[in-house]
Amino acid sequence: MKVAGQKLIANVTGQRSRTTWGVNLAMELARTGTRISGLALGPTLMLASAFVIAFCQVSLAQGDADLEAPGLAPFATPASPQPTLFQNVRIFDGRSAALSAPSNVLVRGNTIARISSGPITMEADANVRVIAANGRVLMPGLIDAHWHAFMAATPQMLLMTADPNYLDLLAARQAAATLMRGFTTIRDLGGPVFGLKRAIDEGVTAGPRIFPSGAFISQTSGHGDFRFSFEVPRVTGGPLSHSEMEGIAAIADSPDEVRLRAREQLRQGASQIKLMGGGGVASPYNPIESTQYTEPEIRAAVEAADNWGTYVTIHAYTPRAIQQAVAAGVKCIEHGQLIDEPTAKLLADNGIWWSLQPFMDDENASPLVNPVSQKKAQEVFAGTENAYRLAKKYKIKTAFGTDILFDARVAGRQGAILARMVHWYTPAEALKMATADNGELMALSGFINPYPGKLGVVEEGALADLLLVDGNPLENIKLVEDPDKNFLVIMKDGTVYKDTVPK
Ligand SMILES: [Zn+2]
């Protein structure tokens, strides 16, 4: 009984197997059955056993999740991609500081099937796409560990006022641009992206893999409280503010409310929980020095996440905010530019991830209109140098992320921000951070990881997210600044999204 039911689920959740006539019929029945559930259960149970099993699975188990099954989407789930053979590449595998000897790499389905320094021969009828790379560099797709797919390129005022459907279309367009910059995975640290992620995964629109957090959870007056002053006070259980209804923020005070909001994000498919644990730059109602939440409140989110096999990551700049988060069981710190030496040591001793961004007062900074925010930004910029120094000194597990907000021009500089990392690291170290290391951080989502498999590395069995670079980024990291010109092939999940290799 279970086996047949699982087969159906596997087919409708985008495993890319061919949809069979039987499954279609079962789906149709399931759909009809769901509609008439409670009215016509008796006659339905008279049907052939496989279909009854499918019906039970769908109508009784999952609630509205099944009404939204991908098989009912307007576009067909893409069939398994054509195999691809990269001939004569030198590989940056995501870890090593040197390129491999000339090699051949075969991608089958959505994984790297074989890597060989000798020739890889294929059956004559294998229908393989052969890419003659001529000694160019093959590397893992880039990963941005702190991204906001909904908000990166859209001005703040528009986000607060425009039609949500319009904003979703803007986000979809930016998601395609993100993939075309060679970022094949992003960890989304706040914003309504569950629908966007689904549309990308189903092939409805192009974009990176998304590890979503859903709404970021903030206390009243915290970094995620974007309410206008006339919306306060709110009584407990009162109407939601605009950014809460949009799914950008979830305002919660007390351990019980934090637990509820965390579980709501997990229910919608969050792969990790994002909490606001201290003052921030772009939010007007909290000093940068403020500590937000109390240890029991943070721990409530940590427990909810831990029960789902995943973790909490927290926005925190100051030593006090970071220390409180670590004491509550948080596994990753976002930003942390105002850290001090003992707190850096604390991160190292506890194996805490540090998701750090090269925030500087330059052309890569997100625009801020509010003078209070501008002043706070200056404090953060001033801390960046020290933060990277301490991250290196204590060998803290460091992730690369950009955290671009509200500006399409800066979003277009995502790769340039990675190239900026050579201020502190060698090109190989910076690229390792944005591939293999970030891939390790993605895996922290445990059994709810939406993309099980290895990310950020070129090795047999890993997920096939690959870039073919015209030049050697280990010698010249600036190549990633101009992806249009220098990334000749962009592959995600075994599918080629770009191929401009001269034929
Ligand atoms: Zn952010």
Side-chain angles (χ1 to χ4, degrees):
M1 182 161 176
K2 262 215 148 142
V3 174
Q6 278 168 355
K7 189 177 169 208
L8 173 71
I9 299 299
N11 272 293
V12 298
T13 49
Q15 295 298 308
R16 301 193 170 198
S17 52
R18 280 179 205 284
T19 308
T20 63
W21 177 85
V23 171
N24 272 334
L25 188 56
M27 284 289 304
E28 185 52 42
L29 180 74
R31 191 162 44 164
T32 316
T34 306
R35 221 183 292 134
I36 60 173
S37 170
L39 293 172
L41 196 64
T44 308
L45 288 172
M46 302 300 288
L47 292 170
S49 62
F51 298 149
V52 175
I53 291 156
F55 170 76
C56 292
Q57 283 277 346
V58 172
S59 68
L60 303 179
Q62 302 266 323
D64 59 5
D66 291 308
L67 292 171
E68 300 170 359
L72 306 180
F75 295 93
T77 304
S80 190
Q82 175 188 17
T84 301
L85 178 61
F86 291 93
Q87 282 180 332
N88 187 15
V89 291
R90 289 175 304 149
I91 300 165
F92 164 60
D93 64 4
R95 295 199 180 94
S96 169
L99 298 179
S100 74
S103 304
N104 301 302
V105 175
L106 175 66
V107 172
R108 230 189 245 286
N110 70 341
T111 55
I112 299 169
R114 237 189 115 192
I115 301 174
S116 172
S117 55
I120 297 177
T121 48
M122 303 289 298
E123 322 80 85
D125 61 348
N127 184 31
V128 183
R129 175 199 283 261
V130 176
I131 296 176
N134 250 324
R136 292 189 181 90
V137 173
L138 190 72
M139 63 172 282
L142 299 168
I143 302 174
D144 192 325
H146 192 132
W147 187 250
H148 298 275
F150 186 72
M151 300 186 282
T154 305
Q156 189 170 15
M157 197 50 75
L158 214 50
L159 288 167
M160 291 168 84
T161 54
D163 180 327
N165 301 316
Y166 170 69
L167 297 174
D168 281 335
L169 289 168
L170 294 186
R173 188 183 162 119
Q174 179 54 218
T178 305
L179 179 62
M180 286 303 123
R181 288 193 290 268
F183 284 84
T184 49
T185 296
I186 59 107
R187 192 174 61 136
D188 194 281
L189 290 187
V193 296
F194 296 119
L196 177 64
K197 173 188 181 296
R198 176 181 165 181
I200 291 169
D201 291 348
E202 290 175 16
V204 175
T205 192
R209 300 176 192 273
I210 296 181
F211 283 77
S213 306
F216 39 63
I217 302 172
S218 166
Q219 69 165 62
T220 292
S221 199
H223 181 47
D225 182 353
F226 290 97
R227 289 174 295 179
F228 295 105
S229 50
F230 56 78
E231 294 178 278
V232 176
R234 175 173 73 175
V235 292
T236 306
L240 295 175
S241 62
H242 181 69
S243 65
E244 289 172 284
M245 284 194 294
E246 280 290 284
I248 297 170
I251 298 174
D253 298 278
S254 82
D256 286 349
E257 281 192 4
V258 171
R259 190 179 295 112
L260 171 66
R261 296 298 174 221
R263 287 176 179 167
E264 284 173 350
Q265 306 318 311
L266 293 166
R267 185 192 190 279
Q268 293 182 87
S271 52
Q272 65 285 322
I273 295 295
K274 163 85 176 294
L275 237 60
M276 298 302 197
V281 170
S283 49
Y285 303 111
N286 54 117
I288 195 94
E289 299 85 355
S290 62
T291 301
Q292 296 173 14
Y293 280 130
T294 57
E295 208 180 300
E297 288 170 305
I298 300 171
R299 194 172 295 119
V302 168
E303 285 167 359
D306 187 56
N307 283 349
W308 251 235
T310 186
Y311 66 99
V312 170
T313 189
I314 199 160
H315 165 106
Y317 280 112
T318 66
R320 189 176 154 194
I322 295 168
Q323 286 166 21
Q324 171 173 270
V326 172
V330 162
K331 290 201 178 139
C332 183
I333 304 293
E334 302 301 320
H335 318 310
Q337 268 82 355
L338 306 181
I339 203 166
D340 60 12
E341 190 127 4
T343 311
K345 192 168 178 308
L346 181 77
L347 296 185
D349 291 346
N350 288 277
I352 308 290
W353 277 90
W354 191 356
S355 171
L356 186 51
Q357 304 77 32
F359 290 150
M360 292 167 97
D361 191 6
D362 59 15
E363 73 277 18
N364 300 330
S366 296
L368 294 165
V369 281
N370 181 322
V372 179
S373 290
Q374 287 167 356
K375 187 174 167 290
K376 292 199 278 191
Q378 289 305 324
E379 282 185 60
V380 169
F381 295 149
T384 298
E385 195 71 44
N386 186 49
Y388 278 111
R389 183 184 68 82
L390 292 173
K392 287 177 74 173
K393 178 174 175 184
Y394 290 101
K395 298 187 169 57
I396 297 168
K397 290 191 279 189
T398 310
F400 165 77
T402 58
D403 194 19
I404 296 161
L405 287 169
F406 316 141
D407 192 289
R409 183 193 64 81
V410 184
R413 295 186 57 76
Q414 196 175 12
I417 295 173
L418 173 57
R420 157 69 48 75
M421 295 289 287
V422 292
H423 190 68
W424 304 280
Y425 299 92
T426 66
E429 286 170 337
L431 290 168
K432 173 175 175 280
M433 209 182 281
T435 55
D437 294 352
N438 275 359
E440 222 181 284
L441 173 57
M442 300 305 122
L444 217 60
S445 288
F447 61 78
I448 62 164
N449 181 342
Y451 311 103
K454 272 194 176 174
L455 283 174
V457 291
V458 181
E459 60 180 51
E460 288 182 359
L463 293 169
D465 293 2
L466 297 166
L467 309 175
L468 186 70
V469 189
D470 196 12
N472 182 358
L474 297 182
E475 280 166 9
N476 178 18
I477 198 170
K478 279 188 170 293
L479 291 167
V480 306
E481 284 190 21
D482 193 351
D484 283 354
K485 178 162 173 275
N486 301 317
F487 293 167
L488 301 187
V489 175
I490 296 175
M491 171 184 275
K492 189 197 79 173
D493 210 36
T495 296
V496 174
Y497 286 86
K498 174 184 176 184
D499 179 359
T500 56
V501 177
K503 300 288 188 290

